Amino acid sequence: MQNGIFPPLTRLAALVLMAVGLSAHAAEPAGENTGAVTTPAAETAEKTPASQPPASPRDEGLRLYGQRKYEEALPYLMTPEAQTDPLVQTALGNMYNLGLGVEADPEKAHDWYTKAARQGNTVAQLYAAYALEKGRGTNKNLREAIRWYTKAANGGLPAAQFRLGYLYEKGIGVRASLKQANTWYLKAAEAGHPGAQTRLGRAYNEGIGVKRDHLEAARWFYRAAEQGNALSQTALAWLYETGLGVGKDEQRAARWYTKAAEQGYAPAQNNLGYLYDTGTGVPQDFGQAMKWYEAAARQGNVSAMYNLGQLYYLGRGTPQDYARAAQWFSRAADKGHARAINNMGMAYLDGMGVEMDPVRAGEYFLKAANMGNAPAQYNLATLYVQRPDVLTTANRAKTDALALKWFRKSAANGHPAAMEYLADVYRYGKLGQRPNAKLAASWQEKADAAQEKELATQTPVALPQSAPDDTDTPAAKPATATSDTSQSNPYEAEYLR
């Protein structure tokens, strides 16, 4: 997916080339419905009987432009008579912007857009504003950009309304105002702009500047999803999967994820892989899960990298391959995925797919533990108990204190094994603590409740690991590599369509 919310001007060529005559749509960003009225100049010229007078240079130039005959159109468009027309000026702006029949020249493109903008052409106003915002072919001037965006938005151009909403949301060139942002998003959304519909859906889904309303969010997501917007298709699928605002319908969720995934949207591909992985809304099919995880992972989706590593680690849909699992966990870990970082710690601790290296294992555990990952906090605490030498040269009293600290952090984050170990700490008087039956009973009760809750919500899959070398009684065992499958946030990419 592209970054940012406004497609680069170089992406406009497809629509410009497909235009029939010059229209507001000819210069509009790909995928954005402006609601502007198409100028029938070229159509009229083509239907003119041969007995009628020849078309004016303006009409002939626009007709040839609409047929993508840019070099032939240029002499007609450049005649003094034609140059004064705002549609011709906009066409020339497009040609110099994209290098259609002429050498690309951002400065000339901006000059032509500005001439048309001054005559009230809303599309030219949009692109004059964009050039001023980005400093493309002219000096960057946010104040002037806002002025032109506002003129185009007030002129009813949905793309300008959408862009203005974004600028108000982010406080770019104006004082940030969610109220103003949502006002402009609403105008554009009601005119059918899928990007604005998606943005408005998100506002209602997350309570951004409006009261949270999942049903209203679903309504806007649906309108954009029907237009093929992959972000809204994914967000709508998420609502159907979770039942937020709509009736829970996992099969419908799978259908919407599929639509977005087939467009190449990585978060949808990952989430569709998850449905196949778990048999949610579709028959369980590890082969399909791997297909979609891999498609998303190769686009850089971190959750998919982690999930793909899980399939190789567990041998689901593929022969068990610890080396390939470690490769995918490593990629996700490099991008800051806490569970993947913990899994790399386990891989180095046990030599699963990588050379055994307890020092590196400890480094991974510490990194993930500092990110708040409960299994990693437990594993780090366990390493302080079993192999403190790989972490520090401090004496046993110091390492016992550190182990206790991380067991407590892990327990506070809901890890049942950490609670269980704390119960043993106070039951047997370990880690420098005195026996305390009351605290032992309290932690055991919490551990039992957490374990019961965990079993009720998921079916854990045990991963292979080597037996711990520990003489303490009872033994503190390293947690298995995190085995839960992760889904992508539907809003993982910036809103841009």
Side-chain angles (χ1 to χ4, degrees):
M1 303 300 292
Q2 295 167 249
N3 292 324
I5 65 120
F6 202 86
L9 295 182
T10 53
R11 296 296 299 276
L12 307 181
L15 280 184
V16 173
L17 293 174
M18 294 174 63
V20 180
L22 179 67
S23 68
H25 291 276
E28 195 57 29
E32 295 185 351
N33 177 15
T34 66
V37 178
T38 302
T39 302
E43 183 179 346
T44 301
E46 291 173 356
K47 293 181 179 180
T48 302
S51 59
Q52 292 188 8
S56 67
R58 178 254 192 205
D59 291 344
E60 182 65 8
L62 292 178
R63 183 183 71 80
L64 292 168
Y65 177 94
Q67 293 179 351
R68 310 175 195 175
K69 298 177 180 178
Y70 303 111
E71 291 184 7
E72 294 180 37
L74 185 61
Y76 292 100
L77 297 176
M78 291 297 288
T79 60
E81 174 191 347
Q83 283 187 38
T84 61
D85 186 271
L87 288 178
V88 171
Q89 292 165 347
T90 305
L92 289 169
N94 290 342
M95 291 169 68
Y96 280 107
N97 179 46
L98 300 171
L100 303 174
V102 295
E103 186 175 346
D105 189 327
E107 290 186 16
K108 287 185 178 180
H110 178 63
D111 288 342
W112 285 114
Y113 284 140
T114 302
K115 289 177 180 179
R118 288 170 179 162
Q119 295 196 63
N121 184 285
T122 55
V123 173
Q125 289 169 345
L126 171 67
Y127 283 98
Y130 182 78
L132 287 161
E133 180 192 347
K134 301 299 182 182
R136 180 181 172 85
T138 185
N139 293 328
K140 189 172 183 178
N141 188 328
L142 288 175
R143 183 174 181 179
E144 189 70 2
I146 294 295
R147 186 174 76 87
W148 283 119
Y149 278 134
T150 303
K151 282 183 176 292
N154 284 330
L157 190 66
Q161 295 165 343
F162 170 63
R163 184 61 183 166
L164 199 54
Y166 179 80
L167 296 180
Y168 271 108
E169 181 182 349
K170 300 300 182 182
I172 301 173
V174 291
R175 180 174 293 180
S177 170
L178 292 177
K179 181 178 179 180
Q180 283 286 338
N182 289 331
T183 295
W184 286 114
Y185 285 147
L186 179 60
K187 288 179 182 291
E190 289 178 337
H193 191 290
Q197 291 166 346
T198 301
R199 204 100 186 145
L200 202 57
R202 184 188 188 187
Y204 279 106
N205 196 51
E206 299 183 6
I208 303 173
V210 293
K211 183 178 180 180
R212 178 172 287 184
D213 186 333
H214 294 302
L215 181 59
E216 186 70 2
R219 186 170 77 88
W220 287 113
F221 285 144
Y222 181 80
R223 290 177 65 175
E226 283 284 280
Q227 295 189 65
N229 184 282
L231 277 78
S232 271
Q233 289 171 342
T234 305
L236 186 62
W238 180 269
L239 292 180
Y240 277 119
E241 185 183 351
T242 58
L244 291 172
V246 294
K248 188 170 184 177
D249 189 332
E250 292 169 343
Q251 291 182 338
R252 186 169 291 181
R255 288 196 295 270
W256 281 115
Y257 278 140
T258 300
K259 287 179 182 291
E262 288 176 345
Q263 291 191 64
Y265 185 47
Q269 292 172 334
N270 175 66
N271 289 5
L272 183 60
Y274 170 84
L275 298 192
Y276 280 109
D277 195 347
T278 58
T280 303
V282 292
Q284 190 172 48
D285 186 330
F286 295 131
Q288 283 291 312
M290 175 163 283
K291 166 191 168 182
W292 290 113
Y293 285 153
E294 187 165 21
R298 295 200 181 283
Q299 292 192 65
N301 184 277
V302 183
S303 295
M305 293 175 184
Y306 168 79
N307 292 335
L308 195 56
Q310 287 295 117
L311 292 186
Y312 281 112
Y313 205 109
L314 298 169
R316 289 178 169 178
T318 180
Q320 198 168 43
D321 190 331
Y322 297 128
R324 295 194 71 177
Q327 289 172 1
W328 284 111
F329 286 146
S330 179
R331 292 184 188 184
D334 288 344
K335 291 181 177 289
H337 193 288
R339 282 172 286 181
I341 295 170
N342 177 61
N343 281 15
M344 285 304 297
M346 287 303 305
Y348 277 107
L349 185 65
D350 290 339
M352 306 294 280
V354 293
E355 187 176 348
M356 186 180 293
D357 187 337
V359 173
R360 290 198 69 180
E363 291 170 351
Y364 275 110
F365 289 148
L366 179 59
K367 184 176 181 180
N370 282 325
M371 295 171 70
N373 182 267
Q377 291 168 338
Y378 176 78
N379 289 339
L380 182 62
T382 300
L383 206 55
Y384 273 119
V385 171
Q386 297 179 0
R387 292 287 307 277
D389 57 295
V390 306
L391 295 167
T392 180
T393 58
N395 60 35
R396 188 72 193 199
K398 178 68 173 178
T399 58
D400 281 353
L402 288 169
L404 186 63
K405 165 191 167 181
W406 287 110
F407 278 131
R408 285 172 172 167
K409 283 183 177 290
S410 181
N413 284 322
H415 196 20
M419 299 175 190
E420 181 85 34
Y421 193 83
L422 285 171
D424 289 340
V425 164
Y426 293 106
R427 184 178 293 122
Y428 298 103
K430 300 171 64 175
L431 302 182
Q433 304 301 299
R434 294 180 179 180
N436 186 319
K438 186 176 181 179
L439 281 177
S442 175
W443 278 115
Q444 187 62 58
E445 183 179 348
K446 291 176 182 178
D448 292 342
Q451 184 67 31
E452 185 177 343
K453 182 179 179 181
E454 186 176 273
L455 291 173
T457 57
Q458 65 180 10
T459 303
V461 180
L463 300 183
Q465 64 176 53
S466 61
D469 179 16
D470 183 26
T471 57
D472 289 341
T473 304
K477 298 181 180 179
T480 61
T482 313
S483 59
D484 59 317
T485 314
S486 62
Q487 287 182 275
S488 297
N489 185 332
Y491 315 115
E492 202 164 278
E494 186 61 72
Y495 282 75
L496 53 117
R497 295 197 222 173

